[in-house]
Amino acid sequence: MRNSRRTLIAAIATLGALTSVAACGGGSDSSASGSGDAGGTYTFWDPYPQFDASSAWGKLVTKCGTDAGVKIKRTGMDTSDLGNKALLAAQQGNAPDVMLVDNPVVSTMVEAGILNKTSDLGLDTKSIQQNILGAGTIDGSSYGVPIGANTLALYYNKKVLSAAGVDPASIKDWNSLTAALKKVKGAGKKGITFSAINTEEGSFQFLPWFWGAGGDLTKLNSAKGVAALTLWKQWVDAGYAPKDVLQNTQTTSWQEFATGDYAFSENGTWQLGNAAKAGFEYGVISIPGQSGGSAPVPTGGEFVTVPVQKDTSRYDVTKKIVTCLTSSANLLSTDTTLAYVAPTAAVQAEQVKANPELKPWVDAVAAARGRTSGGLGTKYPTISQPMWTAVQGALSGSKSPQAALDTAQTAAGKN
C-alpha cells in the first residue's frame, strides 16, 4: 500500500466528493492519539457528534474502553471532517486508534495506506453478511467491521392508498407502481417523494432504480440506465413526483411525505422514528425492480476501522475495543439506538423479534450492495458525480435521459 504525501492528498480530494447520506450534523476538533501503554488513553473518532458522553452510544464506547483496561478519548465530528482529518492525522503520524467511518470512505483510506486489514489484527468477520462486509472489502481483504447497515425502501401512507383503491401488495414492478401513482393522482392526492439533489444523496436514491433495471455503474448510458432515468422523468413530467425533487434532500423529501398528502416516500431506515410520529398509519415495501422482485439497494452505514500505528503494541488493546463494540449484545443495543439493521443474521433475528416493523428493512439490507463494491473502490465518486449531474439534467428538461447519461459516461470515463 502507498502512504506517500501525494497519495494522501489525492485521497483527501476523493473524500471531498463523498458525503454521508444518513445525515449527521455538527462537528468538533480532534486530538492526537494518547499514550501507547496498556492502561493509558486510546483515541476514538466517530461521525456521531449528536451523541454526547451521556448518550447510550457514548456510554458504550466508554464501557468498551473500561473493559479493555484503558480510557477512551472519543471525538464525534461530521463525516466529511472525520475523513479529511483522519488522512491528515495519518500523514502527521498521529492517527486515532479506532475510527468509525462511512462505508464508501473505506476504499479511499485503504488506497491511502492508512487502515489495517481485519485479518492482520485477528478480527473475526465470519458472521457478517457478505454483501454488507463487501463495502469495506478491497482486493479480497476486509478493512473494518460494519457496525450496522441502513438502506432504502418505500414508505407508504395507508390512508392515501386506500382512498385511491390501491393495494400495496399489488405493487410488484415499475408498471404496477406507476399505475398506483396514476390512481393516487386521480384521487386528488400526491404520488411519490424522493431526493434527486446534486449530491451523493441524489445518487444514493437513484441507484435502486438504476440497479433495478440491471444497470452497470461502469456503463452509465446503457439502455438499462436510460430506462431508470426515463422512469423518474416520466413521473416528474406527469406530476406523480414533485419538481422539487431536484432540490430535495432525504430530509426535506421526508418532510413532504410527513404532510400526509403523499402516497409514497423513498427513504431510509433512519426515518423509522419519524414515521412513528407522523400521525398516520404507514407501511413499508421494497423498491421494486423494473420487471419484478426487489431492486438492489445501496448499503449505508459505518465500519469500525483500525488506522495504522507506528507503535504496533497498541493493536492488542485496540482489538479488544473493536470486538466489544461489534459483539452481538452491543450490536443489538447500538443498532436500535442508531436505527440500523445489524450486520449479522443472528442479531437481525433478535431485532425483528423485538420490532416486527424491521422485517422489510432486514429483507432490503439482504438485497443491498455496497456502492464501492465490485472492484469500483475509489472510482465510485468519479462515477457518482456525473450520474447525479445526469439526473439533474434530465429531470430539469435540459437534456434527454439518453443525452444526459451519454455526457455522464464520457465524464466518468475521463477520470
Side-chain angles (χ1 to χ4, degrees):
M1 291 187 292
R2 303 188 304 275
N3 199 13
S4 65
R5 180 178 175 84
R6 174 185 286 181
T7 303
L8 283 165
I9 290 172
I12 291 169
T14 299
L15 277 177
L18 286 169
T19 57
S20 178
V21 295
C24 296
S28 62
D29 290 333
S30 59
S31 63
S33 294
S35 166
D37 297 328
T41 299
Y42 278 61
T43 50
F44 181 93
W45 292 1
D46 66 45
Y48 306 145
Q50 73 273 33
F51 296 132
D52 62 18
S54 67
S55 67
W57 171 250
K59 289 178 180 177
L60 174 60
V61 173
T62 299
K63 180 183 184 300
C64 285
T66 301
D67 290 352
V70 298
K71 178 182 178 182
I72 289 184
K73 183 170 185 179
R74 173 184 166 251
T75 303
M77 64 189 86
D78 177 80
T79 293
S80 55
D81 284 345
L82 190 155
N84 288 330
K85 287 179 179 177
L87 291 166
L88 289 170
Q91 182 179 340
Q92 295 161 2
N94 62 353
D97 292 287
V98 184
M99 194 163 56
L100 199 62
V101 299
D102 197 19
N103 71 63
V105 174
V106 174
S107 61
T108 300
M109 293 189 172
V110 170
E111 183 169 320
I114 73 169
L115 295 184
N116 282 289
K117 295 179 181 179
T118 55
S119 58
D120 289 346
L121 297 168
L123 290 166
D124 184 6
T125 59
K126 291 193 295 292
S127 63
I128 306 292
Q129 282 186 195
Q130 286 302 306
N131 64 321
I132 299 176
L133 190 65
T137 300
I138 294 88
D139 295 332
S141 297
S142 65
Y143 286 83
V145 184
I147 203 160
N150 56 34
T151 194
L152 298 167
L154 293 180
Y155 289 86
Y156 63 87
N157 184 317
K158 292 184 178 181
K159 184 177 179 181
V160 170
L161 288 190
S162 178
V166 174
D167 178 357
S170 69
I171 297 168
K172 305 288 189 184
D173 52 23
W174 289 4
N175 285 341
S176 54
L177 177 55
T178 300
L181 296 176
K182 183 176 181 180
K183 285 184 178 181
V184 168
K185 186 183 179 187
K189 289 292 187 178
K190 299 176 181 178
I192 186 169
T193 75
F194 52 87
S195 171
I197 195 169
N198 57 337
T199 69
E200 179 59 24
E201 287 190 57
S203 290
F204 190 72
Q205 291 240 318
F206 182 59
L207 279 172
W209 311 96
F210 182 86
W211 283 335
D216 179 340
L217 285 172
T218 64
K219 301 172 185 175
L220 293 175
N221 59 341
S222 71
K224 295 172 181 178
V226 172
L229 188 48
T230 298
L231 177 73
W232 269 20
K233 178 171 173 55
Q234 288 173 342
W235 287 351
V236 171
D237 289 351
Y240 301 157
K243 292 192 183 326
D244 64 11
V245 295
L246 287 163
Q247 292 83 43
N248 268 347
T249 64
Q250 292 178 117
T251 298
T252 57
S253 171
W254 178 264
Q255 289 167 351
E256 288 181 333
F257 180 66
T259 63
D261 291 332
Y262 282 85
F264 297 96
S265 171
E266 179 185 352
N267 228 296
T269 329
W270 55 90
Q271 299 293 5
L272 279 170
N274 289 327
K277 302 172 187 174
F280 54 80
E281 286 192 273
Y282 75 94
V284 178
I285 58 173
S286 297
I287 296 172
Q290 181 178 20
S291 302
S294 296
V297 284
T299 49
E302 287 86 32
F303 276 63
V304 187
T305 65
V306 178
V308 173
Q309 302 291 336
K310 290 181 180 177
D311 180 2
T312 58
S313 68
R314 300 180 69 84
Y315 294 148
D316 286 342
V317 171
T318 299
K319 178 183 174 182
K320 292 178 183 178
I321 295 169
V322 175
T323 301
C324 174
L325 288 169
T326 57
S327 70
S328 292
N330 288 332
L331 282 175
L332 184 59
S333 61
T334 297
D335 289 343
T336 299
T337 302
L338 300 176
Y340 277 166
V341 170
T344 69
V347 180
Q348 288 172 4
E350 290 297 315
Q351 287 181 304
V352 173
K353 184 178 178 181
N355 181 7
E357 291 179 354
L358 281 175
K359 181 63 168 67
W361 293 104
V362 169
D363 293 342
V365 165
R369 62 177 68 161
R371 285 163 278 172
T372 57
S373 297
L376 285 183
T378 55
K379 295 177 185 176
Y380 174 74
T382 67
I383 295 169
S384 177
Q385 186 165 355
M387 182 167 64
W388 81 56
T389 302
V391 170
Q392 288 265 309
L395 299 193
S396 67
S398 65
K399 290 186 176 182
S400 70
Q402 181 71 64
L405 287 170
D406 284 342
T407 301
Q409 181 60 31
T410 299
K414 290 179 179 177
N415 293 305

Short mmCIF file of all heavy atoms in Angstrom, two decimals, residues 217-240:
data_model
loop_
_atom_site.label_atom_id
_atom_site.label_comp_id
_atom_site.label_asym_id
_atom_site.label_seq_id
_atom_site.Cartn_x
_atom_site.Cartn_y
_atom_site.Cartn_z
N LEU A 217 -22.65 0.43 -13.23
CA LEU A 217 -22.06 1.75 -12.98
C LEU A 217 -20.88 2.08 -13.89
O LEU A 217 -20.51 3.25 -14.00
CB LEU A 217 -21.63 1.87 -11.52
CG LEU A 217 -22.78 2.07 -10.52
CD1 LEU A 217 -22.27 1.99 -9.09
CD2 LEU A 217 -23.48 3.41 -10.75
N THR A 218 -20.33 1.08 -14.55
CA THR A 218 -19.25 1.38 -15.50
C THR A 218 -19.80 1.69 -16.89
O THR A 218 -19.03 2.04 -17.79
CB THR A 218 -18.26 0.20 -15.60
OG1 THR A 218 -18.92 -0.94 -16.13
CG2 THR A 218 -17.68 -0.13 -14.23
N LYS A 219 -21.12 1.55 -17.04
CA LYS A 219 -21.77 1.83 -18.33
C LYS A 219 -23.04 2.64 -18.06
O LYS A 219 -24.17 2.15 -18.24
CB LYS A 219 -22.12 0.52 -19.06
CG LYS A 219 -20.92 -0.37 -19.33
CD LYS A 219 -21.35 -1.73 -19.87
CE LYS A 219 -20.15 -2.65 -20.04
NZ LYS A 219 -20.55 -4.03 -20.44
N LEU A 220 -22.86 3.88 -17.63
CA LEU A 220 -23.99 4.71 -17.20
C LEU A 220 -25.03 4.90 -18.30
O LEU A 220 -26.22 4.99 -18.01
CB LEU A 220 -23.48 6.08 -16.73
CG LEU A 220 -22.64 6.09 -15.45
CD1 LEU A 220 -22.11 7.50 -15.19
CD2 LEU A 220 -23.46 5.60 -14.27
N ASN A 221 -24.59 4.96 -19.55
CA ASN A 221 -25.51 5.29 -20.64
C ASN A 221 -26.05 4.07 -21.39
O ASN A 221 -26.54 4.18 -22.51
CB ASN A 221 -24.84 6.23 -21.64
CG ASN A 221 -23.58 5.63 -22.26
OD1 ASN A 221 -23.01 4.69 -21.72
ND2 ASN A 221 -23.15 6.18 -23.38
N SER A 222 -26.01 2.91 -20.74
CA SER A 222 -26.62 1.73 -21.37
C SER A 222 -28.13 1.91 -21.41
O SER A 222 -28.70 2.75 -20.71
CB SER A 222 -26.27 0.47 -20.59
OG SER A 222 -26.96 0.46 -19.35
N ALA A 223 -28.79 1.09 -22.20
CA ALA A 223 -30.26 1.16 -22.30
C ALA A 223 -30.90 0.95 -20.94
O ALA A 223 -31.96 1.53 -20.63
CB ALA A 223 -30.75 0.12 -23.30
N LYS A 224 -30.27 0.16 -20.10
CA LYS A 224 -30.83 -0.11 -18.77
C LYS A 224 -30.77 1.13 -17.88
O LYS A 224 -31.72 1.45 -17.17
CB LYS A 224 -30.08 -1.28 -18.13
CG LYS A 224 -30.29 -2.59 -18.89
CD LYS A 224 -29.40 -3.71 -18.38
CE LYS A 224 -29.62 -4.99 -19.17
NZ LYS A 224 -28.73 -6.09 -18.72
N GLY A 225 -29.64 1.82 -17.93
CA GLY A 225 -29.52 3.05 -17.16
C GLY A 225 -30.49 4.12 -17.66
O GLY A 225 -31.11 4.84 -16.87
N VAL A 226 -30.63 4.21 -18.97
CA VAL A 226 -31.54 5.19 -19.57
C VAL A 226 -32.98 4.89 -19.16
O VAL A 226 -33.77 5.80 -18.90
CB VAL A 226 -31.40 5.20 -21.11
CG1 VAL A 226 -32.48 6.07 -21.76
CG2 VAL A 226 -30.01 5.70 -21.50
N ALA A 227 -33.33 3.61 -19.06
CA ALA A 227 -34.69 3.24 -18.65
C ALA A 227 -35.00 3.77 -17.25
O ALA A 227 -36.10 4.26 -16.99
CB ALA A 227 -34.85 1.72 -18.70
N ALA A 228 -34.03 3.67 -16.34
CA ALA A 228 -34.24 4.13 -14.97
C ALA A 228 -34.44 5.64 -14.92
O ALA A 228 -35.35 6.14 -14.24
CB ALA A 228 -33.06 3.72 -14.10
N LEU A 229 -33.61 6.36 -15.63
CA LEU A 229 -33.73 7.82 -15.62
C LEU A 229 -35.00 8.26 -16.33
O LEU A 229 -35.66 9.23 -15.92
CB LEU A 229 -32.49 8.45 -16.27
CG LEU A 229 -32.37 9.97 -16.16
CD1 LEU A 229 -32.61 10.47 -14.75
CD2 LEU A 229 -30.99 10.42 -16.67
N THR A 230 -35.39 7.53 -17.35
CA THR A 230 -36.64 7.83 -18.06
C THR A 230 -37.84 7.65 -17.13
O THR A 230 -38.80 8.43 -17.18
CB THR A 230 -36.78 6.93 -19.30
OG1 THR A 230 -35.69 7.19 -20.19
CG2 THR A 230 -38.10 7.19 -20.03
N LEU A 231 -37.79 6.63 -16.29
CA LEU A 231 -38.88 6.40 -15.33
C LEU A 231 -39.06 7.61 -14.42
O LEU A 231 -40.18 8.11 -14.27
CB LEU A 231 -38.59 5.16 -14.49
CG LEU A 231 -39.63 4.84 -13.40
CD1 LEU A 231 -40.90 4.29 -14.03
CD2 LEU A 231 -39.05 3.84 -12.39
N TRP A 232 -37.98 8.07 -13.82
CA TRP A 232 -38.06 9.24 -12.94
C TRP A 232 -38.57 10.47 -13.69
O TRP A 232 -39.39 11.22 -13.18
CB TRP A 232 -36.68 9.52 -12.33
CG TRP A 232 -36.46 8.83 -11.02
CD1 TRP A 232 -37.14 7.75 -10.53
CD2 TRP A 232 -35.47 9.18 -10.04
NE1 TRP A 232 -36.64 7.41 -9.29
CE2 TRP A 232 -35.63 8.26 -8.97
CE3 TRP A 232 -34.49 10.14 -9.96
CZ2 TRP A 232 -34.81 8.31 -7.83
CZ3 TRP A 232 -33.68 10.20 -8.83
CH2 TRP A 232 -33.85 9.29 -7.78
N LYS A 233 -38.07 10.65 -14.92
CA LYS A 233 -38.50 11.81 -15.71
C LYS A 233 -40.00 11.73 -16.02
O LYS A 233 -40.72 12.74 -15.94
CB LYS A 233 -37.69 11.91 -17.00
CG LYS A 233 -38.14 13.10 -17.89
CD LYS A 233 -37.21 13.31 -19.04
CE LYS A 233 -37.76 14.36 -20.01
NZ LYS A 233 -38.07 15.65 -19.33
N GLN A 234 -40.49 10.55 -16.36
CA GLN A 234 -41.92 10.38 -16.64
C GLN A 234 -42.75 10.73 -15.42
O GLN A 234 -43.81 11.36 -15.54
CB GLN A 234 -42.19 8.94 -17.08
CG GLN A 234 -41.69 8.61 -18.47
CD GLN A 234 -41.82 7.13 -18.82
OE1 GLN A 234 -41.97 6.28 -17.93
NE2 GLN A 234 -41.74 6.81 -20.10
N TRP A 235 -42.29 10.34 -14.25
CA TRP A 235 -43.03 10.64 -13.02
C TRP A 235 -43.10 12.15 -12.76
O TRP A 235 -44.14 12.68 -12.40
CB TRP A 235 -42.37 9.97 -11.82
CG TRP A 235 -42.57 8.49 -11.75
CD1 TRP A 235 -43.40 7.71 -12.52
CD2 TRP A 235 -41.92 7.58 -10.84
NE1 TRP A 235 -43.31 6.39 -12.14
CE2 TRP A 235 -42.42 6.28 -11.12
CE3 TRP A 235 -40.99 7.74 -9.83
CZ2 TRP A 235 -42.00 5.16 -10.41
CZ3 TRP A 235 -40.57 6.62 -9.12
CH2 TRP A 235 -41.07 5.35 -9.42
N VAL A 236 -41.98 12.83 -12.95
CA VAL A 236 -41.97 14.27 -12.74
C VAL A 236 -42.83 14.96 -13.79
O VAL A 236 -43.64 15.85 -13.47
CB VAL A 236 -40.52 14.81 -12.76
CG1 VAL A 236 -40.51 16.35 -12.75
CG2 VAL A 236 -39.73 14.28 -11.57
N ASP A 237 -42.70 14.57 -15.05
CA ASP A 237 -43.46 15.19 -16.13
C ASP A 237 -44.96 14.98 -15.95
O ASP A 237 -45.78 15.86 -16.29
CB ASP A 237 -43.02 14.64 -17.49
CG ASP A 237 -41.64 15.11 -17.90
OD1 ASP A 237 -41.09 16.01 -17.22
OD2 ASP A 237 -41.09 14.57 -18.89
N ALA A 238 -45.35 13.82 -15.42
CA ALA A 238 -46.77 13.51 -15.24
C ALA A 238 -47.33 14.09 -13.94
O ALA A 238 -48.54 13.99 -13.69
CB ALA A 238 -46.98 12.00 -15.26
N GLY A 239 -46.46 14.66 -13.11
CA GLY A 239 -46.92 15.20 -11.84
C GLY A 239 -47.07 14.16 -10.75
O GLY A 239 -47.64 14.43 -9.69
N TYR A 240 -46.54 12.97 -10.99
CA TYR A 240 -46.58 11.92 -9.95
C TYR A 240 -45.55 12.19 -8.86
O TYR A 240 -45.70 11.74 -7.73
CB TYR A 240 -46.34 10.54 -10.55
CG TYR A 240 -47.33 10.12 -11.62
CD1 TYR A 240 -47.00 9.15 -12.56
CD2 TYR A 240 -48.60 10.69 -11.68
CE1 TYR A 240 -47.89 8.76 -13.54
CE2 TYR A 240 -49.51 10.30 -12.66
CZ TYR A 240 -49.15 9.34 -13.60
OH TYR A 240 -50.04 8.96 -14.57
#
